[in-house]
Amino acid sequence: MADVFINYRTGDGNDTAALIDNELSNRFGRDRAFRASKSIPPGSAYPEALLTSLRRSAVLLAVIGADWINFRSKLRAPEDWVRKEILEAFACGIPVVPVLAGRTTERLKKDDLPDELTRLAELQSVRLDTQNAEADLKRLGDLVSEMVPGLYDLEHADAPDPDPGSVSNSAGTVHGTAVQSRDFTGDVGGTVIKGPTGPVHSGHGNIYQNSRHESGGRHYSGDGMTNIEGNHHGDIRHRFGGPVRHEEDER
């Protein structure tokens, strides 16, 4: 179902309508924007297709080209489809947004419009300048997304979830070299800690080895510091730059 109905007059705004359709289709999906020359299959009864799609839409974008107001005679004709689509949107309570195509296209004035369409002159419009097309199209797409909340959800529905195996930075201030990785191979010039049970502390300073089941413990002084608690399987080796002194030997 199309959420956005693009109203335009052939010969005055059809190129702008195609740009809008392309932008909205890329952002929200091809079937979310209705443009008659694209959306009605050959051989279909276009009056029924137009009105059915319009009545199901959430917003109508009325493309106003530089010569739009010069079609006064057509705008007064009951069978003019530009007129008929806008009046149908008013009757159904569908929001209508005038899109001024080009830098010099002026806002509509009530005195230039048939009585049935004077409401168009009271509506806030947006401008789509082809010389600033990228930014203006994005702004228009953002506006449509705000007016039709379902389109925002649709646009973000396919966003990939974060890789459960990815690594995020959880370190604060780091002095020197820090390497953070999930899995790695090769030599690392530093301290590697993988899968420990219990707290592990590696750095400069003294070494404290304490037992939770004994009243005492040992204090080692030397270069480097390792604090190991809990259960460890396998060998634990630490080499210091100088001789190790045991405090209990000095007592």
Side-chain angles (χ1 to χ4, degrees):
M1 181 188 73
D3 296 284
V4 183
F5 190 97
I6 304 175
N7 167 273
Y8 66 97
R9 186 178 296 284
T10 302
D12 182 70
N14 46 298
D15 291 342
T16 301
L19 284 175
I20 295 173
D21 182 17
N22 185 65
E23 172 70 14
L24 299 182
S25 295
N26 287 338
R27 284 187 62 167
F28 308 116
R30 177 177 174 80
D31 296 331
R32 295 293 170 169
F34 180 94
R35 180 169 59 95
S37 59
K38 176 204 75 174
S39 304
I40 302 178
S44 299
Y46 74 88
E48 180 180 351
L50 284 171
L51 293 177
T52 299
S53 295
L54 173 58
R55 291 163 182 163
R56 293 177 177 176
S57 297
V59 61
L60 180 144
L61 302 180
V63 179
I64 311 296
D67 293 327
W68 192 90
I69 201 62
N70 295 329
F71 291 88
R72 290 182 180 86
S73 60
K74 290 188 175 182
L75 290 172
R76 288 179 169 82
E79 297 305 315
D80 179 63
W81 275 102
V82 171
R83 166 197 168 103
K84 187 180 292 188
E85 291 166 5
I86 295 172
L87 291 179
E88 185 67 20
F90 287 159
C92 295
I94 298 171
V96 175
V97 178
V99 180
L100 305 181
R103 182 171 298 182
T104 60
T105 301
E106 297 182 357
R107 288 176 54 90
L108 297 174
K109 300 176 182 178
K110 287 185 177 182
D111 294 340
D112 297 330
L113 296 169
D115 292 341
E116 299 86 352
L117 295 175
T118 54
R119 182 178 170 185
L120 270 178
E122 301 174 348
L123 301 176
Q124 181 65 27
S125 60
V126 296
R127 187 172 299 278
L128 202 168
D129 182 4
T130 55
Q131 297 183 25
N132 192 38
E134 183 177 355
D136 286 353
L137 285 169
K138 183 181 184 305
R139 189 178 303 113
L140 180 60
D142 292 343
L143 172 64
V144 168
S145 181
E146 293 175 4
M147 297 181 70
V148 188
L151 290 184
Y152 177 88
D153 297 336
L154 182 67
E155 184 179 15
H156 295 80
D158 296 332
D161 295 329
D163 181 2
S166 62
V167 177
S168 60
N169 182 17
S170 58
T173 303
V174 177
H175 299 284
T177 303
V179 178
Q180 182 171 290
S181 174
R182 180 188 177 190
D183 297 319
F184 57 86
T185 59
D187 296 332
V188 177
T191 302
V192 178
I193 302 172
K194 185 174 182 180
T197 303
V200 176
H201 188 149
S202 178
H204 296 287
N206 297 328
I207 301 174
Y208 295 88
Q209 179 178 341
N210 297 302
S211 170
R212 296 181 182 273
H213 305 290
E214 299 178 4
S215 59
R218 290 185 175 185
H219 176 197
Y220 299 88
S221 297
D223 296 334
M225 172 182 170
T226 302
N227 183 359
I228 303 171
E229 296 185 14
N231 298 323
H232 297 269
H233 301 282
D235 296 337
I236 300 177
R237 300 176 182 178
H238 195 106
R239 177 175 295 177
F240 301 92
V244 178
R245 301 188 305 276
H246 302 290
E247 282 192 354
E248 63 185 23
D249 295 339
E250 297 177 357
R251 295 174 186 172

